[in-house]
Amino acid sequence: MNWYVVYTKPKWEKKVADKLNQLGIECYCPLITQIKQWSDRKKKIETPLFNSYVFVQLSDSDRNLVFQVQGVVRYLFWLGKPAIVKDQEIEIIRTSLKSPNLKDVSVSTIQVGDKIKLESGAFINQDAIVQEVSNNYYVLVLEALGCVLKIKYK
């Protein structure tokens, strides 16, 4: 069985995960503990690591079962097919969140203007500035080499 990503209504992640569990569907909503401060108090609350996303593990033939739950919007698609998350990636998220050294976690996407370091390929360890982000490619400026790099991804 594969892990799929379900897109939920905003702020419905925990409710959707609870309802999916009640239906007997294996799901995972990674949560982090944050301290929120109001004018009169501070409080520890658990918030989803990924806003509006819940991971579900089920067979391809049972994928429509998730739509019985209020708050489920759709599946996340990648290149025209439902996005599949590997078991090892789910396990990495689970073990990382259990780490005692974990203090502050946030998830963000690559955006135009971000400075990144390339971690693989012919330009490994090169610093780059993101110039453009598209559905299937990035355009990066490698100032040290004086070139522009267009990276397609699948």
Side-chain angles (χ1 to χ4, degrees), residues 17 24 36 48 53 55 61 69 80 82 93 123 137 143-144 146 149 152 154:
K36 294 287 184 176
Y53 291 128
F55 300 99
S61 60
V69 174
I93 294 170
F123 298 101
Y137 67 87
E143 292 178 337
L149 182 65
K152 290 185 180 181
K154 297 178 184 177

Short mmCIF file of all heavy atoms in Angstrom, two decimals, residues 17 24 36 48 53 55 61 69 80 82 93 123 137 143-144 146 149 152 154:
data_model
loop_
_atom_site.label_atom_id
_atom_site.label_comp_id
_atom_site.label_asym_id
_atom_site.label_seq_id
_atom_site.Cartn_x
_atom_site.Cartn_y
_atom_site.Cartn_z
N ALA A 17 -7.64 13.77 10.33
CA ALA A 17 -6.86 12.60 10.75
C ALA A 17 -7.66 11.75 11.74
O ALA A 17 -7.67 10.51 11.63
CB ALA A 17 -5.53 13.03 11.36
N GLY A 24 -10.95 3.56 9.98
CA GLY A 24 -10.00 2.46 9.83
C GLY A 24 -8.95 2.71 8.77
O GLY A 24 -8.28 1.78 8.33
N LYS A 36 2.47 29.36 21.98
CA LYS A 36 1.76 30.52 21.45
C LYS A 36 1.56 31.51 22.58
O LYS A 36 1.26 31.14 23.71
CB LYS A 36 0.39 30.11 20.88
CG LYS A 36 0.48 29.22 19.68
CD LYS A 36 0.91 29.99 18.46
CE LYS A 36 0.89 29.09 17.25
NZ LYS A 36 1.19 29.77 16.03
N PRO A 48 -0.02 21.23 13.14
CA PRO A 48 0.49 20.37 12.07
C PRO A 48 1.78 20.92 11.48
O PRO A 48 1.94 22.14 11.33
CB PRO A 48 -0.63 20.40 11.03
CG PRO A 48 -1.84 20.82 11.78
CD PRO A 48 -1.36 21.73 12.87
N TYR A 53 -2.22 19.40 5.03
CA TYR A 53 -1.85 18.10 4.48
C TYR A 53 -1.94 17.01 5.54
O TYR A 53 -1.55 17.20 6.68
CB TYR A 53 -0.43 18.10 3.94
CG TYR A 53 -0.22 18.93 2.70
CD1 TYR A 53 0.80 19.87 2.65
CD2 TYR A 53 -1.03 18.78 1.58
CE1 TYR A 53 1.00 20.65 1.52
CE2 TYR A 53 -0.83 19.56 0.45
CZ TYR A 53 0.18 20.48 0.42
OH TYR A 53 0.37 21.24 -0.70
N PHE A 55 -1.18 12.63 5.55
CA PHE A 55 -0.72 11.48 4.79
C PHE A 55 -1.64 10.30 5.08
O PHE A 55 -1.98 10.05 6.24
CB PHE A 55 0.71 11.10 5.20
CG PHE A 55 1.70 12.20 4.97
CD1 PHE A 55 2.11 13.01 6.03
CD2 PHE A 55 2.23 12.45 3.72
CE1 PHE A 55 3.02 14.04 5.83
CE2 PHE A 55 3.15 13.47 3.51
CZ PHE A 55 3.55 14.27 4.57
N SER A 61 -7.12 1.12 -5.02
CA SER A 61 -8.56 0.91 -5.23
C SER A 61 -9.42 1.55 -4.13
O SER A 61 -10.60 1.80 -4.34
CB SER A 61 -8.86 -0.58 -5.34
OG SER A 61 -8.48 -1.23 -4.14
N VAL A 69 -14.97 11.71 4.52
CA VAL A 69 -14.64 12.54 5.68
C VAL A 69 -14.81 14.01 5.32
O VAL A 69 -14.25 14.49 4.32
CB VAL A 69 -13.20 12.25 6.15
CG1 VAL A 69 -12.79 13.21 7.26
CG2 VAL A 69 -13.08 10.82 6.60
N GLY A 80 0.40 15.00 -12.88
CA GLY A 80 -0.83 14.38 -13.33
C GLY A 80 -1.25 13.12 -12.62
O GLY A 80 -2.27 12.53 -12.94
N PRO A 82 -1.59 11.04 -8.59
CA PRO A 82 -1.56 11.30 -7.15
C PRO A 82 -0.14 11.14 -6.61
O PRO A 82 0.56 10.19 -6.94
CB PRO A 82 -2.47 10.21 -6.58
CG PRO A 82 -3.36 9.83 -7.70
CD PRO A 82 -2.53 9.99 -8.95
N ILE A 93 10.31 11.47 8.81
CA ILE A 93 9.54 12.53 9.47
C ILE A 93 9.23 12.12 10.91
O ILE A 93 9.42 12.90 11.85
CB ILE A 93 8.24 12.84 8.70
CG1 ILE A 93 8.56 13.42 7.33
CG2 ILE A 93 7.35 13.79 9.50
CD1 ILE A 93 7.36 13.52 6.41
N PHE A 123 27.25 20.59 -10.13
CA PHE A 123 27.56 21.86 -9.47
C PHE A 123 27.47 21.74 -7.95
O PHE A 123 27.12 22.70 -7.26
CB PHE A 123 26.61 22.95 -9.97
CG PHE A 123 26.74 23.20 -11.45
CD1 PHE A 123 25.81 22.66 -12.33
CD2 PHE A 123 27.79 23.93 -11.96
CE1 PHE A 123 25.93 22.87 -13.69
CE2 PHE A 123 27.90 24.16 -13.31
CZ PHE A 123 26.98 23.63 -14.19
N TYR A 137 10.45 23.23 -13.34
CA TYR A 137 11.86 23.59 -13.38
C TYR A 137 12.16 24.78 -12.47
O TYR A 137 11.27 25.52 -12.07
CB TYR A 137 12.33 23.89 -14.81
CG TYR A 137 11.72 25.13 -15.42
CD1 TYR A 137 12.28 26.39 -15.23
CD2 TYR A 137 10.57 25.05 -16.21
CE1 TYR A 137 11.73 27.51 -15.78
CE2 TYR A 137 10.02 26.17 -16.77
CZ TYR A 137 10.59 27.40 -16.56
OH TYR A 137 10.03 28.52 -17.10
N GLU A 143 26.54 32.78 -9.40
CA GLU A 143 27.37 33.97 -9.56
C GLU A 143 28.85 33.65 -9.62
O GLU A 143 29.60 34.25 -10.39
CB GLU A 143 27.09 34.96 -8.42
CG GLU A 143 25.70 35.56 -8.50
CD GLU A 143 25.40 36.51 -7.35
OE1 GLU A 143 26.04 36.39 -6.28
OE2 GLU A 143 24.52 37.36 -7.53
N ALA A 144 29.31 32.69 -8.82
CA ALA A 144 30.74 32.35 -8.78
C ALA A 144 31.22 31.83 -10.13
O ALA A 144 32.38 32.02 -10.49
CB ALA A 144 31.01 31.33 -7.68
N GLY A 146 29.46 32.53 -13.01
CA GLY A 146 28.99 33.45 -14.03
C GLY A 146 28.04 32.80 -15.02
O GLY A 146 28.13 33.04 -16.22
N LEU A 149 21.58 28.47 -14.50
CA LEU A 149 21.34 27.04 -14.57
C LEU A 149 19.82 26.80 -14.54
O LEU A 149 19.13 27.30 -13.65
CB LEU A 149 22.00 26.36 -13.38
CG LEU A 149 21.93 24.87 -13.23
CD1 LEU A 149 22.67 24.18 -14.36
CD2 LEU A 149 22.56 24.46 -11.90
N LYS A 152 15.44 20.97 -14.51
CA LYS A 152 14.11 20.36 -14.65
C LYS A 152 14.00 19.26 -13.61
O LYS A 152 14.97 18.58 -13.30
CB LYS A 152 13.93 19.75 -16.03
CG LYS A 152 13.82 20.79 -17.13
CD LYS A 152 13.53 20.13 -18.46
CE LYS A 152 13.41 21.19 -19.53
NZ LYS A 152 13.09 20.59 -20.82
N LYS A 154 11.24 16.03 -12.05
CA LYS A 154 10.11 15.18 -12.45
C LYS A 154 9.10 15.08 -11.35
O LYS A 154 9.34 15.08 -10.22
CB LYS A 154 10.62 13.79 -12.80
CG LYS A 154 11.55 13.83 -13.97
CD LYS A 154 12.08 12.45 -14.27
CE LYS A 154 13.09 12.51 -15.40
NZ LYS A 154 13.67 11.27 -15.70
#
